[in-house]
Amino acid sequence: MEHAYQLIRDYFVFTNKRLVLVDKQGMTGSKVEYHSLPYKSITHFSIETGGTFDLDAELKIWISGSAAPFQKQFNKKLSIYEVQSVLASYVLK
């Protein structure tokens, strides 16, 4: 593990070869889904930020062979720009 970020209940874990998304589901968070995304499979990603009064933001990551992107909602507690910068540094190597 090289970088890790907690987003409410979910996690972004950046390793030297892949991004691991840990998605806690349900009211108790007892159900957990893990997504292991090799950086070479990430075709593109985008961020969408809110306006002045809307502090929510969204990160979308597209994987080759999949039409729908992975989507994660951000709030003001974790900077979407910091996570996007780290993601870019790994994907654009």
Side-chain angles (χ1 to χ4, degrees):
M1 174 174 55
E2 296 186 353
H3 294 90
Y5 298 95
Q6 183 176 3
L7 177 65
I8 306 169
R9 298 183 331 177
D10 300 338
Y11 293 90
F12 290 88
V13 180
F14 293 90
T15 71
N16 61 336
K17 297 187 186 262
R18 64 189 62 245
L19 169 62
V20 179
L21 297 176
V22 181
D23 185 10
K24 292 190 176 185
Q25 302 172 354
M27 292 298 290
T28 62
S30 59
K31 182 177 179 183
V32 181
E33 186 173 12
Y34 298 91
H35 298 278
S36 178
L37 311 174
Y39 298 123
K40 64 182 179 180
S41 297
I42 297 174
T43 58
H44 72 281
F45 55 89
S46 69
I47 60 171
E48 180 179 318
T49 59
T52 305
F53 299 106
D54 183 9
L55 299 175
D56 291 336
E58 185 175 64
L59 172 67
K60 296 180 184 178
I61 302 172
W62 283 266
I63 305 300
S64 60
S66 179
F70 286 94
Q71 299 181 58
K72 292 293 179 184
Q73 294 291 126
F74 283 68
N75 58 26
K76 62 182 177 182
K77 293 181 182 177
L78 176 61
S79 169
I80 193 170
Y81 298 109
E82 183 177 345
V83 174
Q84 179 267 334
S85 176
V86 172
L87 178 60
S89 72
Y90 284 105
V91 171
L92 301 175
K93 280 187 180 181

